[in-house]
Amino acid sequence: MITMMKRWKRICAFVALSLIAVTGCTSQTSEQKEADSKKILFEKRDDTLHLTIVESKIWNPLLVTEESVDYALKLVYDGLFSLNEQYNVVNRLADSFSYQNENKDMTVNIRSDAKWHDGTQVTARDIKYTIDFLKSHPESVYYPMINNIASVSVLNNKTVALHLKQSNILQEYSLLFPIIKYSSGSKTPFVWNGTGRYQFDQSEDVRSLLFKEFSDYYGKIGNIKKIKFEMVETEEIRSNLFLSTDSDMINFGRDDISKYDYELFEVTQFPSLQYEMLLFNTKKEPFHTVKNRQALISALNRDMILKNGYRIDNRCNEIFIPQNSLCHLEGIQIPYDIKRTKRDFVSSEKREYELLVDSHRPLRYAAANLIKQEWKKVGVDIKIVGLSSDELKQRLHSGNYDMALIGYWTGFYPDVMKFASTKNLSFYDTSALQQSLNVIQTQQSKTLFLQNYHKFQKQFIQQAFYAGFGHLDSCVAVNRRIQGTLRPNKFDIYYGIEDLKIVDKVYAKQEKKTEDESAVSSPEEKVEESSQE
């Protein structure tokens, strides 16, 4: 009886395996079975990319102040140039450009295939009209980009000449503003008629914007044909809609990354233009000498402070320019060297130096404590003083401080002198540096300019009126129903949108098998075990 029972178990097991094999061959491929075994998070609901913007009263792309709306309008209105993920200039409406008259004149040729959404050609008159419009609107966020343009000349229908106030072989970095169409009537300088990848479509209601792909766009045609922007009251609502998967994409600061970093979303980090630095008051002893400032910087392991204080894995960036930019000088010029600090730092007074920090910035507080620990190793004592933003500004501008850990918005133009010339809160005399840079700007060759510009950055860094750490990261999270490689930057978070596509199904990410799971017996092994009972 026992023998018959064992034989019956073996037969049942064999039949079961045979049925599984036959069913698999006749009704499903192995790929289908594997897909069906995964958990479906959600399925494709439509062919539209769903995004959000915060309500705005202004829709003119040159005057908009709401950041999320500005990003949205960059899909509709192209500029002469844009910035890629490395913060290098790429052509948009501009086909080519050149400099003349020791870089005081810039000639821009417009693409022959660039069209407005109404089908008409983009002309040089449109470029001149846009720049003249900006000149009369200093409230525009793009107004600083035309400060160096003295006048504009239309050479022909597709060529415009920009006459500059000062020589600048990098003027293209300032021509990032959207271009609007020439209007003969001053009352209607703006209509929904752009040159970008997407054009305005009929809205379903007053709380949404509909964009559709412009079929005559001069650039690469993408996979996503429609975009719907829902208007909401606050950034918090934008975040909540994204977390509930009602929106497909959102940008946010790195401090909020924990909210988005899980299986429903893919997070892309990119360098923002918020630069972190330790500023010295060069009018105060012992920070009044270059040798002392260099010695103090040498005692800081800035890569460690970035990682453990600011929680950034990038290497220290000692200059204000984004690290991947062509204009950036690679490498730290004042290296970590405690022996140098002990040898060179000299002070006529022994006291506790104050380090000012914004009390609402926890990451800076963490970095400040690490700086304190680093300098304690070389016998330099500091006291960390937390202040409100207004109190900190007042102390900095009055010069009533020793050192301060601050953030600085570097802007899109790769100018190492901007902080030193416009917000010289260190009180260091940079006039000689500015004269040197003015000479470099007259170089006839871009290659020769970059070589000299890199040498200039070495000279600039050696003045050591600040210790640079680097740019903080920003993030874009994308719903996993959207696949492809987005290449965002602070100027345009939707850069690379043409490479995205909406997938039919999104499956849960499979967890890797543990060693214990992989050791579980296979069906064949179980059959063999049954036969031995």
Side-chain angles (χ1 to χ4, degrees):
M1 186 67 178
I2 295 175
T3 305
M4 287 295 294
M5 287 295 293
K6 289 182 178 180
R7 186 176 300 169
W8 178 248
K9 287 182 180 180
R10 288 199 297 267
I11 292 171
C12 288
F14 178 80
V15 171
L17 286 173
S18 299
L19 286 173
I20 291 171
V22 171
T23 304
C25 292
T26 57
S27 61
Q28 287 184 311
T29 64
S30 59
E31 289 82 3
Q32 287 174 322
K33 286 197 300 180
E34 182 182 359
D36 290 342
S37 68
K38 297 177 182 177
K39 175 186 175 184
I40 297 176
L41 295 179
F42 47 83
E43 298 185 65
K44 186 176 182 179
R45 55 178 172 175
D46 53 35
D47 294 318
T48 301
L49 183 67
H50 293 266
L51 303 173
T52 55
I53 51 176
V54 175
E55 286 181 336
S56 174
K57 295 180 180 179
I58 302 172
W59 294 96
N60 185 321
L62 295 176
L63 300 179
V64 65
T65 55
E66 168 53 47
E67 184 183 59
S68 62
V69 177
D70 180 54
Y71 286 139
L73 293 180
K74 282 186 171 73
L75 296 168
V76 179
Y77 298 89
D78 276 355
L80 287 171
F81 303 93
S82 186
L83 295 175
N84 63 15
E85 68 273 23
Q86 297 176 328
Y87 289 98
N88 290 320
V89 163
V90 290
N91 290 20
R92 283 297 198 218
L93 296 175
D95 181 58
S96 61
F97 63 97
S98 59
Y99 290 94
Q100 302 83 32
N101 187 25
E102 292 187 333
N103 307 322
K104 283 192 173 182
D105 291 324
M106 180 184 185
T107 302
V108 181
N109 298 309
I110 302 165
R111 296 180 65 109
S112 60
D113 54 353
K115 295 180 180 179
W116 294 98
H117 292 157
D118 63 8
T120 58
Q121 290 285 321
V122 180
T123 68
R125 186 170 62 169
D126 298 320
I127 312 304
K128 175 176 169 53
Y129 176 77
T130 300
I131 294 173
D132 289 343
F133 180 87
L134 279 175
K135 282 181 175 294
S136 63
H137 290 81
E139 73 275 17
S140 171
V141 294
Y142 294 105
Y143 180 78
M145 292 187 177
I146 52 92
N147 276 344
N148 195 39
I149 301 177
S151 61
V152 183
S153 298
V154 174
L155 303 184
N156 58 52
N157 198 42
K158 286 287 185 178
T159 308
V160 64
L162 308 181
H163 309 292
L164 308 181
K165 298 175 183 177
Q166 294 182 336
S167 298
N168 184 7
I169 200 171
L170 295 179
Q171 185 65 36
E172 66 268 24
Y173 279 88
S174 296
L175 303 178
L176 307 176
F177 45 84
I179 299 300
I180 59 175
K181 191 174 184 180
Y182 170 79
S183 172
S184 57
S186 59
K187 293 183 179 180
T188 56
F190 158 72
V191 290
W192 284 102
N193 187 16
T195 57
R197 183 179 307 282
Y198 291 91
Q199 63 184 114
F200 179 67
D201 199 3
Q202 186 65 39
S203 289
E204 296 174 346
D205 56 66
V206 295
R207 302 288 300 173
S208 65
L209 285 177
L210 292 181
F211 294 165
K212 63 180 180 181
E213 191 171 53
F214 180 41
S215 58
D216 278 345
Y217 186 61
Y218 57 83
K220 178 182 176 181
I221 299 298
N223 299 299
I224 297 175
K225 306 301 180 185
K226 295 180 182 179
I227 301 177
K228 182 177 181 179
F229 282 94
E230 293 287 348
M231 285 185 254
V232 299
E233 287 80 11
T234 64
E235 282 292 334
E236 183 179 3
I237 296 176
R238 287 188 74 214
S239 176
N240 290 336
L241 286 173
F242 179 78
L243 288 170
S244 64
T245 69
D246 291 314
S247 172
D248 291 320
M249 195 181 304
I250 194 169
N251 60 299
F252 56 93
R254 193 178 184 279
D255 289 348
D256 295 327
I257 194 171
S258 59
K259 292 197 298 185
Y260 305 101
D261 194 11
Y262 59 96
E263 69 172 3
L264 288 178
F265 313 120
E266 298 289 347
V267 177
T268 300
Q269 298 184 50
F270 61 92
S272 71
L273 297 176
Q274 179 72 36
Y275 186 84
E276 295 293 312
M277 70 172 78
L278 171 67
L279 194 65
F280 297 108
N281 185 344
T282 62
K283 292 296 183 183
K284 280 196 170 185
E285 203 272 345
F287 316 110
H288 63 302
T289 69
V290 174
K291 194 172 185 179
N292 272 347
R293 297 195 298 269
Q294 289 179 345
L296 286 172
I297 294 173
S298 295
L300 299 177
N301 185 343
R302 285 179 280 172
D303 286 340
M304 180 275 292
I305 294 171
L306 267 180
K307 184 174 182 179
N308 299 332
Y310 289 105
R311 300 176 187 175
I312 296 175
D313 290 330
N314 299 334
R315 291 189 67 246
C316 169
N317 180 10
E318 193 146 17
I319 206 73
F320 302 116
I321 302 172
Q323 285 179 308
N324 292 323
S325 170
L326 292 173
C327 298
H328 179 264
L329 174 68
E330 184 60 39
I332 298 175
Q333 299 304 311
I334 303 180
Y336 180 47
D337 186 355
I338 291 180
K339 291 181 180 179
R340 178 184 181 181
T341 308
K342 293 179 177 179
R343 181 188 69 229
D344 292 348
F345 182 74
V346 178
S347 178
S348 60
E349 55 179 348
K350 181 67 176 177
R351 65 182 178 89
E352 189 179 52
Y353 306 108
E354 284 191 344
L355 174 57
L356 307 186
V357 183
D358 189 328
S359 57
H360 299 292
R361 300 280 185 168
L363 292 181
R364 282 189 197 145
Y365 251 114
N369 276 296
L370 291 174
I371 292 170
K372 181 175 182 176
Q373 293 172 24
E374 290 284 274
W375 277 344
K376 191 172 184 180
K377 298 175 185 176
V378 293
V380 177
D381 297 321
I382 67 171
K383 177 184 178 181
I384 300 172
V385 179
L387 301 171
S388 69
S389 297
D390 290 339
E391 290 173 330
L392 179 59
K393 288 178 183 177
Q394 192 278 325
R395 292 280 299 271
L396 289 173
H397 285 282
S398 67
N400 181 24
Y401 78 98
D402 294 325
M403 298 169 290
L405 199 57
I406 64 172
Y408 172 63
W409 174 262
T410 58
F412 302 115
Y413 183 79
D415 183 5
V416 298
M417 282 297 295
K418 184 180 177 183
F419 178 82
S421 57
T422 62
K423 295 190 176 183
N424 190 3
L425 301 177
S426 69
F427 305 102
Y428 178 73
D429 183 3
T430 59
S431 56
L433 287 170
Q434 187 63 61
Q435 290 176 5
S436 298
L437 183 59
N438 291 341
V439 173
I440 296 173
Q441 287 283 10
T442 63
Q443 296 287 348
Q444 297 300 305
S445 161
K446 186 67 68 77
T447 300
L448 187 59
F449 164 78
L450 290 175
Q451 290 175 355
N452 286 298
Y453 198 34
H454 290 165
K455 292 177 182 178
F456 174 80
Q457 289 176 45
K458 290 182 180 180
Q459 179 186 359
F460 182 90
I461 290 169
Q462 290 302 319
Q463 307 312 305
F465 60 84
Y466 73 95
F469 291 97
H471 293 88
L472 298 181
D473 283 343
S474 286
C475 305
V476 168
V478 179
N479 192 308
R480 282 188 53 223
R481 82 183 193 104
I482 311 300
Q483 291 190 356
T485 303
L486 191 69
R487 306 185 300 281
N489 59 60
K490 194 60 181 175
F491 178 72
D492 182 6
I493 63 168
Y494 301 124
Y495 188 82
I497 195 172
E498 65 274 16
D499 295 323
L500 302 183
K501 66 178 181 179
I502 302 172
V503 297
D504 293 330
K505 293 182 180 180
V506 177
Y507 298 99
K509 293 182 177 179
Q510 286 187 312
E511 297 181 0
K512 293 181 179 180
K513 286 186 177 182
T514 64
E515 291 184 5
D516 292 338
E517 289 173 330
S518 62
V520 173
S521 301
S522 65
E524 290 82 2
E525 291 172 328
K526 289 183 178 179
V527 171
E528 183 62 25
E529 289 170 0
S530 298
S531 67
Q532 294 175 0
E533 290 182 6

